[in-house]
Amino acid sequence: MGKKERLGDYRSKRDFSHTPEPSGGGKKSKKQPIFVIQKHDASNLHYDLRINIDGVLVSWAVPKGPSTDPKGKRLAMRTEDHPLEYADFEGVIPKGHYGAGTVMVWDTGTYRNLTEKDGQEVPIARGLVEGHIAFWFEGRKLKGGYALTQTGKGKKWLLVKIKDKEADARRNPVSTQPNSVLSDRTLNEISKEKHE
Ligand code: MN
């Protein structure tokens, strides 16, 4: 599927004359293995994990946010692919529009594919189709291995911290590091931003 078709769902949900979100289609480098976690104060506060896979941000909504404890399984609901330009979007989606509420870049960085099967590396795009991917995050807040595994055939996946030197059951960055990594603002400060 081309990038344009992959963003069809994203674009059909939004009216770009009313939302400050990017429509995509820019010239951003497609290859950079970046990830972003956006804190999104919509009808329910949640964390959107997005990973660049073949030029689009493949996305999951994680209600509780990521855990640094390997025992902390987190529900992750797959959502529509987002354009790469979304990775540095921070702002307010107006009332009455899809995803209305404040968006913050809670963490971002690069990742390395760790997906394997029977000791062989599996390309991340194939892991995605087969329902299991793993990656090493080099974020500002999150570091180390994480795995995402689909449970059944629907949108439900589980996000789990892999046991490694970065695992830490006592750390809880979702509550101790609540601000934006781009602007150091709180959700409340971003929510007062004015859009022309
Ligand atoms: Mn969201």
Side-chain angles (χ1 to χ4, degrees):
M1 220 197 297
K3 192 170 148 189
K4 207 166 174 189
E5 296 87 80
R6 291 174 69 190
L7 293 176
D9 197 15
Y10 172 85
R11 288 184 177 137
S12 69
K13 289 173 191 284
R14 290 167 176 82
D15 173 356
F16 296 105
S17 60
H18 287 97
T19 179
E21 295 164 290
S23 59
K27 298 243 184 292
K28 240 180 147 123
S29 159
K30 292 198 281 193
K31 294 277 176 212
Q32 251 208 344
I34 57 150
F35 80 95
V36 62
I37 298 176
Q38 280 154 319
K39 191 168 167 179
H40 185 184
D41 191 12
S43 44
N44 292 297
L45 180 75
H46 60 274
Y47 292 77
D48 290 300
L49 167 62
R50 311 189 195 282
I51 303 168
N52 180 11
I53 299 177
D54 294 339
V56 295
L57 295 174
V58 178
S59 300
W60 290 262
V62 183
K64 290 185 173 172
S67 176
T68 51
D69 180 355
K71 292 199 186 83
K73 283 196 181 106
R74 294 290 193 255
L75 173 68
M77 299 299 288
R78 179 94 185 261
T79 57
E80 78 276 17
D81 293 347
H82 280 48
L84 278 186
E85 288 80 0
Y86 211 91
D88 45 27
F89 173 70
E90 198 165 82
V92 181
I93 302 169
K95 276 200 185 84
H97 291 270
Y98 183 73
T102 307
V103 177
M104 167 203 287
V105 177
W106 181 77
D107 197 16
T108 190
T110 57
Y111 76 87
R112 232 167 2 92
N113 182 23
L114 296 180
T115 313
E116 21 174 87
K117 197 173 181 180
D118 306 323
Q120 301 275 32
E121 189 183 319
V122 173
I124 199 154
R126 198 174 102 212
L128 186 67
V129 173
E130 291 174 356
H132 175 75
I133 55 177
F135 26 80
W136 182 278
F137 283 149
E138 281 296 335
R140 304 264 292 275
K141 294 172 182 169
L142 295 189
K143 291 187 195 298
Y146 279 83
L148 263 170
T149 307
Q150 191 175 19
T151 67
K153 295 201 185 300
K155 294 176 184 298
K156 229 170 118 177
W157 293 58
L158 287 173
L159 175 68
V160 183
K161 177 78 196 77
I162 293 170
K163 279 185 200 166
D164 56 35
K165 67 182 171 67
E166 301 291 350
D168 187 345
R170 291 158 307 171
R171 237 190 109 200
N172 185 9
V174 162
S175 63
T176 61
Q177 296 173 274
N179 294 3
S180 165
V181 292
L182 289 191
S183 63
D184 198 36
R185 291 181 297 176
T186 63
L187 269 178
N188 193 39
E189 284 165 340
I190 297 168
S191 74
K192 294 186 175 110
E193 188 173 280
K194 290 273 180 289
H195 292 287
E196 60 279 24

